[in-house]
Structure formats: C-alpha cells, structure tokens
Amino acid sequence: MKITLITLILIFIGMQFIPVDRTNPEFDKSKEIFLPEHIKPLIKDACYDCHSYETKWPWYSSIAPMSYSVSKNVAHARQGLNFSIWEDYDDETKHKKMRELFRAVYAAMPLGDYIRFHAEADLTKEQRTLIRDWAKEIIDAKEMSASK
C-alpha cells in the first residue's frame, strides 16, 4: 500500500514537468470578428476562453492532469472556430461557422464542464436567443446575397 501511494505521488509530481501549450498567440486585431455591442459581452464571456487567442488560463490549467485536458480542449475549440482570426476565413467558411454557432448556442455551448468553473459563461435562454437572432441575421443576409 505504501509503495503504491509513493509511486502515485511520484507519477503525479513527474506529470507536472510535461509541458502543455497554454499560449495566446499574437494576432492582428483587425482580423477579429466584429461583434455588435449587445452581443460582444455575451460572446466574450461564454466563448472567448476557448474560441479565441484571448484565453484566460485558469489556475488549474497549470496542474496536470487538468492541464492536459484544458490545453487539448482549447486547441480543439480554436481549430473549430477562432474569433481572433475570423477575417482569415473565406465567405463560405464564415457562413458555415455562423450556422454552427447558431446551432451550438441553442444548448450545446458552452460546455457544462466549462460552466461548472465559469458561472459567468452560463447563458440564459434570453441571451442564447439574442446570439441566435444575431447569427440568423448574418446567415440570412449571406443567403439572400447568394441567391441574387
């Protein structure tokens, strides 16, 4: 029992020396998504920690094994949608990502695990509706211009 406990402690200590990516790369602010004033705080509070280069890395993102999970989740989220590089996306990709945002904000995002540690990110039904209405306006405008 004693050897098992010492082994587990040594493994935990050793895990702390395995580096993880917790960076916020420099980016051109002119390429960031334009958000209307009534939408900006909602998206910033609920989405930016994972879907931008403005992640606020929490204290537990420095402690393995949580650091592995947080770093992996942020990298995956940025790969799927990154508000910091919105203007680098072509029009078709922007449209696709806006449709995904429209669907995801209904109930799937932000993730429950994230909300557990970040209560400010828990969007109300009304806030979700505001974001969805904004996204729908953009989607509809794109589809209207494409049909002309």
Side-chain angles (χ1 to χ4, degrees), residues 7-23:
T7 302
L8 289 173
I9 291 170
L10 289 174
I11 289 171
F12 178 78
I13 291 170
M15 290 170 69
Q16 306 314 308
F17 295 99
I18 300 172
V20 296
D21 182 17
R22 293 183 320 123
T23 60

Side-chain angles (χ1 to χ4, degrees), residues 4-122:
T4 303
L5 181 61
I6 291 171
T7 302
L8 289 173
I9 291 170
L10 289 174
I11 289 171
F12 178 78
I13 291 170
M15 290 170 69
Q16 306 314 308
F17 295 99
I18 300 172
V20 296
D21 182 17
R22 293 183 320 123
T23 60
N24 286 329
E26 295 282 328
F27 68 97
D28 181 352
K29 286 279 195 183
S30 69
K31 295 188 178 198
E32 187 173 21
I33 191 170
F34 171 78
L35 298 168
E37 288 305 314
H38 70 290
I39 298 297
K40 185 182 280 189
L42 305 177
I43 297 287
K44 292 252 183 183
D45 286 347
C47 310
Y48 260 54
D49 268 352
C50 296
H51 293 282
S52 79
Y53 289 147
E54 297 180 35
T55 303
K56 295 178 198 121
W57 296 97
W59 64 269
Y60 54 84
S61 69
S62 299
I63 301 170
M66 282 299 293
S67 59
Y68 307 143
S69 177
V70 172
S71 177
K72 179 182 168 194
N73 287 345
V74 170
H76 181 73
R78 286 176 177 172
Q79 189 175 36
L81 170 63
N82 190 332
F83 292 114
S84 297
I85 58 168
W86 183 259
E87 292 303 326
D88 285 343
Y89 298 138
D90 60 43
D91 287 344
E92 184 178 326
T93 302
K94 286 180 188 176
H95 183 69
K96 178 182 170 222
K97 292 186 181 300
M98 194 57 69
R99 290 177 67 83
E100 291 168 358
L101 173 70
F102 178 82
R103 284 190 299 272
V105 79
Y106 180 70
M109 289 288 171
L111 297 174
D113 288 345
Y114 181 76
I115 292 171
R116 192 171 310 137
F117 293 101
H118 303 274
E120 73 281 1
D122 192 7

